[in-house]
Amino acid sequence: MTVTWEESGWEQVAPGVGRCRLPVWDCTAGLVVGTDAVLLVDAGSGLGEGERLRAEARALTGRRVTHLALTHPHFDHLLGAAAFAGTEVFGAVGMETVLTPRGREELRADAVRHGLDARAAQEAADALVPPRHAVSGEWTLDLGGGRQVLLANVGPGHTAHDLAVLVPGDPEVVFCGDLVEESGEPQAGPDAVPSRWPAALDRLLALGGEDARYVPGHGAVVDAAFVRAQREVLAERFGVSD
């Protein structure tokens, strides 16, 4: 027996497309449903959140998650990925360099610094495997029933490995990862590439267009005007000229 978006606590962004805002870090996870396959966008901050997302996706669709797209390699979007054994996992090319032993330790330490239980962080970091599919340009997924989803390597920007997900439809939906944030100022950590971030937002806008709904990594769904305004703020903040 499946549940509706409203019953599940998920927000329906477009027909067959939803998102939820996970607790603590207000991290977004997305869901795109086709007749033959189910795509999850981002996996949460640990195995517990990953298992929650897996169960909620099954309750919503009656089927298991078949594809997982990881928008970028930060703990709050990535550490739940190992809960999806047997799923086809996609990430921007080069993400595997973050999942070396040293990179896993940095992910674990960052998660603990932000308040994740140390044992849970260690378990999730140890279980991570590199995405099977590395997206260097654009990759089209056919989910069945005429639903095709475009994975686009639009970075670098927020990180060196930023992946966006475009869901064509009426309206079109763009999952932006943390290239766009609504609930606070975009965060630029040591792995950000500030000089390229405004250009990454230009690519997002080119993908979705004026009428798309843009789903940020944190916060409420926004429109093209919001993304454009954030692009200008970031260009000024980082001293990037057109």
Side-chain angles (χ1 to χ4, degrees):
M1 178 179 175
T2 60
V3 299
T4 66
W5 297 107
E6 293 77 12
E7 290 170 337
S8 70
W10 285 59
E11 173 187 359
Q12 186 174 18
V13 184
V17 184
R19 58 82 71 111
C20 72
R21 294 169 69 167
L22 294 165
V24 185
W25 296 285
D26 189 28
C27 177
T28 287
L31 195 65
V32 186
V33 185
T35 59
D36 302 327
V38 176
L39 168 69
L40 183 73
V41 181
D42 284 338
S45 63
L47 295 177
E49 280 196 338
E51 289 163 1
R52 167 192 162 177
L53 290 169
R54 184 185 64 195
E56 290 182 356
R58 181 174 285 279
L60 278 161
T61 68
R63 290 176 283 138
R64 72 178 185 88
V65 171
T66 55
H67 298 75
L68 172 63
L70 299 170
T71 62
H72 63 287
H74 283 169
F75 84 92
D76 49 338
H77 298 258
L78 176 68
L79 283 184
F84 296 90
T87 298
E88 298 293 324
V89 182
F90 296 78
V93 67
M95 185 183 282
E96 69 280 358
T97 63
V98 180
L99 301 181
T100 62
R102 178 178 177 179
R104 291 166 190 264
E105 172 55 26
E106 290 174 352
L107 279 168
R108 183 207 65 78
D110 190 41
V112 172
R113 277 196 302 271
H114 283 85
L116 189 64
D117 174 78
R119 180 175 295 180
Q122 186 70 64
E123 181 183 16
D126 287 346
L128 279 175
V129 297
R132 180 177 178 182
H133 305 289
V135 182
S136 59
E138 296 180 351
W139 191 310
T140 300
L141 297 178
D142 188 348
L143 303 184
R147 166 143 282 168
Q148 293 188 326
V149 174
L150 182 71
L151 309 182
N153 186 336
V154 296
H158 176 66
T159 72
H161 314 291
D162 292 312
L163 188 73
V165 179
L166 169 67
V167 187
D170 186 15
E172 293 193 329
V173 177
V174 182
F175 289 95
C176 307
D178 285 2
L179 286 167
V180 178
E181 295 193 42
E182 185 277 334
S183 56
E185 185 177 81
Q187 299 299 301
D191 58 344
V193 187
S195 64
R196 303 284 294 276
W197 200 332
L201 295 187
D202 289 338
R203 287 191 284 274
L204 285 181
L205 289 164
L207 278 175
E210 285 302 304
D211 298 324
R213 304 193 74 194
Y214 293 86
V215 183
H218 302 265
V221 176
V222 300
D223 59 12
F226 181 96
V227 177
R228 190 174 298 106
Q230 192 157 95
R231 185 252 188 237
E232 295 308 313
V233 168
L234 288 170
E236 182 177 357
R237 174 179 166 188
F238 297 131
V240 179
S241 58
D242 292 332

